[in-house]
Amino acid sequence: MNANKTGESVPKGSDHSNAESSEDRILALAKASAKGISDKDIQNEIPDLRPDQRASIINKFLSKGYLDLFTQGGTLLYKLKDPTVAQKVKGADNEEKIVYSIIEEAGNKGIWIRDIRFKSNLIPTQLNKLLKILENKKLIKAVKSVSASKKKVYMLYNLEPDRSVTGGAWYCDQDFEAEFVDVLNQQCYRYLQQKLEATKDCKGGPIAARNISYASSKDVWKYISDLGISKVQLSVEDVETILDTLLYDGKVERTVATDGDHFYRAVESLLPAPGIVRLPCGVCPVLQNCSDVGSVNPKKCVYMKEWLE
Amino acid sequence: MSLQFEKLCSLILLEHFGEIIQKVGNDLYKCQSKPLNLIVGSTKLPFQKVKQALRIMIQYGFVTFAEGQFPDKAEYTLLADKVILLLRYPRYLLLMKTQYGDEAEMLVEEILRRGQDTASSVIIRAATRLKESLKVEKVCLVTLHDKFSVLVNKQFLMRCPSPDEEKGVPVLTIKEKLLYLPPELNLKGLADIEEGKPGDPGDGGIYWRVNFDRFHQDFRDQIMVSAISRRCDDNAGELLKELLKQMYLRTEAWAATSNPVPFTELREAVRKQSSRPLLGQYIEQYLKVMEEDSSGFVSKVGDSSGGQYSINMKTAFVQLTWATIENIVMERFGSKGARIFRLVRAKKFVEQEQIQQVAMIPAKEAKLLTYRLLEENFLHIQELRKSLANNVPNKTFFLFHIDLNQVARMVLEMCYKALYNAMVRREHERSENRRMVEKQQRIESITLTMREQGATAEQLAEIEEMLTPPEQALLEKVRTMINKLSEAELQLDETMFILQLYLSYQV
Ligand code: SF4
């Protein structure tokens, strides 16, 4: 393996230029970590390496094919290429290799068949055949993406699909579980609302009352877990995602404590429903088309009629 | 201004003043200002009628005049905003009734009826009406006079400017110190007139009108106080009321931010009120809670003398406008639509992809809602071109965002339209059933004369039966419909008030 050779040549001599030794150290680092290394890891290892230098080294490695690129939880990870895979493809013909490398490049986000076709310039029938072969060899797999229900993406067999492909806890076979989210949304709100209710007869002054009405995301998480409404195990972050939907429903407020914990409390809107929506026109879907002349007009309007009955 | 506004304005004039004034109003709306002969020309109305219409509109403050392009020739301008205020008159009266009692309500009503009038004739007319409604022989003119002075002192009423010297086109002016100087009436003369004898109340030529801004100021304060009460509790609302009182001592009423109010003075003022012991005990905490609340009505601006607090009127109305619009979105597009709207508000600029992820709404539904919001102009779109590397085609991002000013204007338009529709419908219902209403009125008047002539109960009952039960039921139905519509019109005005105030703070 090329990578190993480069790696072995590290310790020799102090006359190595700075850049070269950095290259070696990065490779060593990647070798040591099976999970892959991030930019941050590199920075910790070689603090005096400038970001632009780092980028150029990484790019070099990527183009030479020493390293693979992944994203995990939003950060980029570099991983040493698995030598066995290279061997697996070895027996294959050139086209297979090309398709394989295109899919490999896509990392755990996967790639659509159309994009593979563009990149490889293969005709559809041939490409389909190749993909079948690779799939049968268990080198790649097809994963259904949540963002577009009909499209499959291809990725290497041993990869765990990215969250953007599977959708995380809220998806079941790439179906978004809207009802599940709604139920959780309601339950979280109920919990916070109860806390707010409890402040009504608090005699300790407004600040004490306000503090009572706050709940940390952990509290809510515990409450939800104890309710047992969820089949899957939810994390605190999952519950926070739900709590954030309440935030955008305008039903709760969020503050961040000094230690980074999130606290939530139920709040009342500043105003009751405004006057305009008490009239049918305020919620009328054809308001823009309504005028004195024509078939949509206030004199004959059926919405008005219903409302006035 | 918009077509909708023009239509609304015209309809209001028609409803309250009839066709001629409507025509003149419409004509004036179309241009900045116009001299009399041009109005006559374009409306094709008789000269005298136009003149009379203008006179009435000037009296109500709907039209102003000034010397135009030619010397000694007045040009007239329509103040459409003032016309729209006609819809708010019931609310002004309600405010008077609840805060200053029935007499104040009568006095203000009598002025509103005429647009402007002398103190003496207002008082006399109010006295006559009070006698009728209370069914008493005598009402105390002194009380009415005092009430009048109170209203002047509180600046709900003000003196009308008068022409200064005789020139071609008179200029109306008034000295500042006279504006809120209560009238000095000769009470003896007043009493004489009331009894129908000749007398001189001694205020000839001094006319009074209603100071709408002062009413609006009270409306504004009420809205803010009730909003804070909803957010925190009644004590907090009460504290804001005190704070507002303190603010008026040192700040011009319509300033965007009040001058700082020292904590010590506020505490004194609160202490004098024994009705709220909890507020007195926790005043500091209440201030802190209000200051930290996301509504941002109150902020701490200094630490001297126990802390300095000021009220942020402008911010408050930005918040209230958001709340109003969010509520409207909620009703029009459902809770998911409102979620998307608030999300865009919070993120300022956001991509479609992110919306569905954060809002946790299925992609299809989220897209549909976002584009409906966009279509109805609650959301706006910003295109962002970003060229990546050279070999990749230009990538374009579409970012959603909200321009509050624009949305507020649009919602205000919606309000005008809805209001117009409600008025049209109300008139429609009335005219559809005109025959029936007229019949009922006829029967009533017959009953009245018969009773005066001493008819028997039997005869009376017979006449009343001329209106069949189904007819009576129908009449009742029409009446409830009309009431429901009028009520909705008033509620609509509350929405308009917030939006208008928001926009007026923006300029
Ligand atoms: S009158 Fe009827 S159709 Fe017209 S805007 Fe109102 S509700 Fe809609």
Side-chain angles (χ1 to χ4, degrees), chain A residues 280-281 284 286-287 290 296-298 301-304, chain B residues 421:
Chain A
C281 305
C284 175
V286 289
L287 177 76
C290 185
V296 183
N297 68 56
C301 171
V302 280
Y303 298 115
M304 284 268 198
Chain B
N421 287 349

Side-chain angles (χ1 to χ4, degrees), chain B residues 31-32 82 172 175 198 202 266 419:
Chain B
C31 59
Q32 280 276 325
K82 289 270 159 49
L172 300 180
K175 292 209 183 70
L266 191 61
L419 194 52

